[in-house]
Amino acid sequence: MPPVIDAHAHFLPEPIVAALRARSEAPDIRAEPGGGESFGIYRTRMPYGRAYDDLDARLARMEELGVDRQVISLPGLFGVDSRPADQALPLVRAFNDGIAELVRRHPDKFSGIAALPLADPAAALEEYRRARGLGLSGMILPGDAFVSAAAAERVRPLFELAAEIGGLAFVHPGPLPDTVAGPGAGPVDAPAPHTDSIVHRRVTVDIQNRMTEVMVTLALTDFLDPYPSVPVQVANLGGTLPFVIERMDHVYALRHPDQPAPSRSLRPLYVDAASLGPRAIALAAEVYGADRVLFGSDSPIFDDARCLDAARQARLTPAERAQVAGGNAERMLAEAG
């Protein structure tokens, strides 16, 4: 029976939880006056619960859903890895050490993706080397680093290193170091009023638009050409690209008739289906190829059961459904080495 692999999941091992609780400013975990805890991130505060750090509960949940393996990363939108280097380095090292220990204890259940101190390029390279030595499978990078080909140049040395020592690049929604100087100490997120649907704009539309820009950089420029051995995973099905690719083709037919249509020029990337539904998954499989789409849950931020149901309900052949459920992720991890 083919494996079920959640290629986009988050977990906080004990070392980074302890480090965050010891901090007095974001990023931090602190008790709230009304009970419970909150997580300070670069834009606001959000509720923090044991789903982030309870290993027994995580293993039980995986067993309940029939998930064989999770690929664990630090939540990119929290901005921990984009803080100033003197703050980020001890936090990402605590995360990487904790996840490496988790992988050592449960090699059949977890793979780990390293977080890096993004504000210090030299330290990021050093930490990636160290993380690979710990057995981690790759690195997580912020989507904002790929909103243009010019912006992506700042992370090119990390791709050069990955081509040398192996590992995958997981591009996840997240900020660059220049954008996280604020304290991240606003109120705990609450439902937005319907008057302007701020949650829809910020949590859905803005993030998906940004991930579409990521795909334009990574799938439709030559940035990745020197790194054919580095598997690249882009979160959230690569934003809205599956929906707008036909418009891109139409624009090119009118303005650049001598150039190949974008839909025929897409470089082969992996995209995960975290938080998207069955219709979006089926469209992504049609555009990218079913061999490039991964099941991902973005757990515990999103509902893992709903995400798994979406992958299973997508209009795909049984063979394609098996690829999405785990076969593609298994191949990607093997390519990462």
Side-chain angles (χ1 to χ4, degrees):
M1 195 170 177
V4 176
I5 300 175
D6 185 346
H8 180 168
H10 305 298
F11 186 81
L12 297 180
E14 190 280 331
I16 192 171
V17 172
L20 290 168
R21 286 199 171 113
R23 289 176 56 84
S24 58
E25 62 178 9
D28 67 332
I29 299 171
R30 76 181 185 201
E32 288 293 318
E37 292 182 306
S38 68
F39 198 156
I41 60 179
Y42 84 103
R43 282 183 171 178
T44 185
R45 301 198 71 86
M46 62 182 290
Y48 180 83
R50 293 304 306 279
Y52 283 99
D53 61 32
D54 188 329
L55 178 58
D56 291 339
R58 178 62 61 92
L59 289 167
R61 181 65 170 171
M62 291 169 64
E63 179 73 19
E64 175 188 353
L65 295 180
V67 173
D68 297 297
R69 178 180 294 274
Q70 284 189 340
V71 184
I72 299 293
S73 57
L74 183 67
L77 264 176
F78 290 1
V80 173
D81 49 358
S82 293
R83 302 300 289 191
D86 62 332
Q87 298 180 42
L89 183 57
L91 293 174
V92 300
R93 287 178 69 96
F95 174 82
N96 294 339
D97 289 343
I99 290 299
E101 178 61 23
L102 182 68
V103 171
R104 282 194 292 271
R105 289 169 53 196
H106 301 277
D108 57 333
K109 291 294 183 183
F110 299 109
S111 299
I113 302 295
L116 306 175
L118 299 168
D120 184 334
L125 291 169
E126 181 180 348
E127 181 60 16
Y128 186 59
R129 282 191 183 276
R130 194 182 77 89
R132 286 292 288 164
L134 294 173
L136 300 189
S137 297
M139 55 186 158
I140 185 170
L141 297 172
D144 287 8
F146 301 94
V147 296
S148 69
E153 288 301 317
R154 70 191 292 168
V155 295
R156 186 179 292 280
L158 287 166
F159 280 84
E160 292 172 348
L161 181 58
E164 175 190 339
I165 66 174
L168 65 90
F170 176 29
V171 183
H172 185 286
L176 288 169
D178 318 345
T179 60
V180 293
V188 175
D189 278 348
H194 292 292
T195 53
D196 198 21
S197 300
I198 297 301
V199 169
H200 297 322
R201 295 182 192 278
R202 192 178 78 189
V203 179
T204 304
V205 175
D206 286 355
I207 289 175
Q208 289 301 94
N209 285 343
R210 189 58 57 94
M211 298 312 289
T212 309
E213 293 178 337
V214 169
M215 288 297 288
V216 171
T217 297
L218 293 178
L220 289 169
T221 77
D222 60 2
F223 176 83
L224 289 175
D225 283 0
Y227 319 112
S229 64
V230 180
V232 177
Q233 172 186 344
V234 178
N236 298 7
L237 291 180
T240 62
L241 187 66
F243 181 80
V244 300
I245 192 71
E246 291 170 318
R247 177 180 169 87
M248 290 181 176
D249 284 353
H250 195 165
V251 169
Y252 256 56
L254 295 174
R255 301 185 185 182
H256 305 284
D258 57 328
Q259 299 293 319
S263 64
R264 297 182 177 276
S265 307
L266 291 172
R267 284 162 174 77
L269 310 176
Y270 293 99
V271 296
D272 69 61
S275 77
L276 280 299
R279 288 176 293 180
I281 293 170
L283 179 59
E286 181 179 345
V287 170
Y288 302 127
D291 62 335
R292 290 287 155 179
V293 180
L294 313 169
F295 159 56
S297 70
D298 206 350
S299 168
I301 299 165
F302 283 87
D303 183 341
D304 49 4
R306 182 170 177 170
C307 293
L308 184 56
D309 284 345
R312 288 171 170 164
Q313 293 168 12
R315 189 172 296 179
L316 303 169
T317 68
E320 291 171 337
R321 195 169 290 114
Q323 286 180 302
V324 172
N328 295 334
E330 192 173 43
R331 184 179 71 251
M332 179 182 71
L333 291 169
E335 291 170 356

